[in-house]
Amino acid sequence: MQRFPSEVETVLREAGWSDGRQVHDVVEETIRTVTERTAANGARHLAFPAAEQALLEFGALYVDQDGPGVALRRRPFAIDPAMVPPCAATLQAFGRALGVALFPLGIEGDDDAVLAIDEQGRVFSLDDGGEWFLGEDVPAALTTLVTGVQPPRVGDDGTWSTESDEAEPR
């Protein structure tokens, strides 16, 4: 079974991804760098298996895209937690609403949004407009990002609707 639609796989391969890709050196250094940061309130990022697995396969991928997508403009993004501005307190607060821990995964746009993964492997985007559910796993989230599909907005109660007609414009 194919993990990605062909257009998504092409974009990811052009960015350096391949089946079975494992970037151990990059992941270890990146996780160390990110977990050493402490927010003013004392919050820190803690890595967990879902984050480590996602970064092993997709870490250090930089997708340079710009143009129309299915519903949204396709923006560049990077799977590199070291590029994420300090956000431990923000992810900690969002994680409380979801009932899970979060770890930064990368950025979207020109530092417009923070990409984060939770302990279950679900991926979210946090920007000035709110929090958005990108997918149940990293491949689904990458498909959302590459194709410009409208993701559902996460409500204040930590839930979202997967019904496309209820998706709020991003």
Side-chain angles (χ1 to χ4, degrees):
M1 185 170 141
Q2 193 171 352
R3 290 174 70 193
F4 299 104
S6 59
E7 74 173 285
V8 174
E9 184 170 326
T10 298
V11 168
L12 295 176
R13 287 189 184 283
E14 288 173 0
W17 174 83
S18 61
D19 283 322
R21 181 176 186 265
Q22 300 279 294
V23 289
H24 293 280
D25 305 0
V26 172
V27 172
E28 291 171 16
E29 179 60 31
T30 300
I31 288 175
R32 183 173 34 259
T33 299
V34 172
T35 57
E36 287 175 352
R37 299 178 189 160
T38 303
N41 72 348
R44 296 178 74 141
H45 297 296
L46 299 174
F48 41 79
E52 293 168 1
Q53 285 303 116
L55 292 171
L56 263 175
E57 183 175 2
F58 300 103
L61 284 186
Y62 307 94
V63 174
D64 187 19
Q65 63 179 4
D66 187 18
V70 172
L72 302 171
R73 182 176 137 241
R74 296 169 50 242
R75 303 185 302 168
F77 64 90
I79 306 300
D80 184 348
M83 294 178 70
V84 175
C87 65
T90 301
L91 290 186
Q92 194 175 69
F94 183 47
R96 277 193 299 274
L98 297 172
V100 293
L102 291 162
F103 191 81
L105 197 55
I107 59 169
E108 182 185 4
D110 188 23
D111 291 337
D112 300 324
V114 170
L115 302 175
I117 188 168
D118 75 6
E119 296 169 296
Q120 298 171 25
R122 300 176 302 184
V123 180
F124 302 87
S125 177
L126 295 79
D127 63 22
D128 289 339
E131 296 86 22
W132 309 90
F133 175 67
L134 297 182
E136 286 291 336
D137 56 23
V138 176
L142 292 173
T143 299
T144 298
L145 291 167
V146 170
T147 61
V149 169
Q150 173 68 54
R153 184 177 185 150
V154 179
D156 292 340
D157 63 355
T159 64
W160 58 90
S161 172
T162 54
E163 298 299 317
S164 60
D165 58 308
E166 295 182 30
E168 187 177 320
R170 196 165 162 211

